[in-house]
Amino acid sequence: MTHDHNAAPVNPIPPVVVALFLIIAGVEIVFYLGSKGLVGGPSAVGWRIAAVEKYGFFGDVVKWMWGTGRYPAEHVMRFFTYPFIHGAFTSTLFACVMLLALGKMVAEVMGPVRMVVIFFACAVAGGLAYTALPVGQPPLIGAFPAVYGLIGAFTYLLWLRLGALGESQIRAFSLIGVLLALQLIFGLFVTVGYYWVAEVVGFVTGFALSVLLVPGGFQHLLNRIRER
């Protein structure tokens, strides 16, 4: 048996996933350095708050756009910019780890373009769901609605694989089940707000989009439904 001694010890992460990671991590590093007074001078302490105000997603702003029929670019872009801003280093770290792991798996199976489509489509869907909540909600920030979309895509891919192996497909939903259970437990001790609404909608959107984006995925789903 021959071995390729020039092969990488691990599969490389697709460049598009690396690019998204670098943007999220880079933004957080700038905020962190600014908060420590290492860059930007005294005003840098407020960079995170200023970024949330300018690039975060505000459901009330979307309702204003719908009501007035005006859609200025500075507000429309919030659908696509809010995933890159986080409230703290810890949340950024979790988002980056999940993005690297799930983004790699989804991009390798479905392709980088489809992975990016799922990422941003789920961010938009999460934002729209957040808009449906009562007025006065805090701004929606963070990559989690988009990352949950990748979890939805991964769940569908795993669902297909388990079906092909003749195993119980309900196991494909174990990851999202664990995450939702952890959120429920965490919510018993800390007020977590309604961010979970955007995340759950992101998951559902990612799963549904995967049915359409995976070659033959929709036909496979129909066949499984008919079998039942």
Side-chain angles (χ1 to χ4, degrees):
M1 180 180 293
T2 58
H3 298 277
D4 184 1
H5 297 288
N6 294 320
V10 295
N11 292 331
I13 299 175
V16 68
V17 179
V18 175
L20 291 172
F21 164 79
L22 290 177
I23 295 174
I24 294 174
V27 169
E28 181 59 36
I29 290 173
V30 170
F31 290 159
Y32 177 81
L33 294 177
S35 67
K36 300 299 181 181
L38 299 176
V39 295
S43 62
V45 176
W47 278 355
R48 189 188 301 273
I49 296 176
V52 170
E53 292 177 350
K54 186 172 183 179
Y55 300 108
F57 184 89
F58 292 80
D60 292 349
V61 172
V62 177
K63 291 174 181 176
W64 171 83
M65 290 193 293
W66 287 345
T68 61
R70 298 169 55 190
Y71 300 90
E74 64 182 293
H75 293 322
V76 174
M77 72 176 184
R78 295 174 185 271
F79 280 100
F80 306 96
T81 56
Y82 84 82
F84 301 101
I85 305 169
H86 293 78
F89 174 81
T90 303
S91 59
T92 306
L93 177 62
F94 280 117
C96 285
V97 170
M98 296 174 70
L99 171 63
L100 288 175
L102 293 161
K104 179 179 185 297
M105 289 184 285
V106 173
E108 287 179 343
V109 176
M110 300 178 62
V113 174
R114 291 185 176 94
M115 178 265 168
V116 172
V117 169
I118 290 174
F119 182 90
F120 284 107
C122 293
V124 172
L128 290 174
Y130 198 72
T131 302
L133 296 173
V135 297
Q137 299 296 325
L140 175 64
I141 56 175
F144 289 103
V147 168
Y148 268 65
L150 297 179
I151 295 175
F154 170 75
T155 298
Y156 181 69
L157 295 175
L158 183 58
W159 186 82
L160 289 178
R161 183 178 181 184
L162 291 173
L165 295 174
E167 300 182 18
S168 175
Q169 290 178 289
I170 194 66
R171 289 169 47 198
F173 296 89
S174 58
L175 177 58
I176 186 63
V178 170
L179 290 174
L180 291 178
L182 289 175
Q183 281 194 332
L184 178 61
I185 295 172
F186 188 69
L188 296 176
F189 302 97
V190 180
T191 302
V192 295
Y194 290 97
Y195 289 129
W196 63 270
V197 172
E199 294 165 359
V200 170
V201 170
F203 170 83
V204 173
T205 303
F207 189 95
L209 279 178
S210 298
V211 176
L212 300 176
L213 295 177
V214 171
F218 184 69
Q219 186 60 48
H220 182 86
L221 180 62
L222 287 179
N223 293 339
R224 296 296 297 179
I225 294 175
R226 288 167 182 167
E227 290 175 3
R228 297 179 185 278

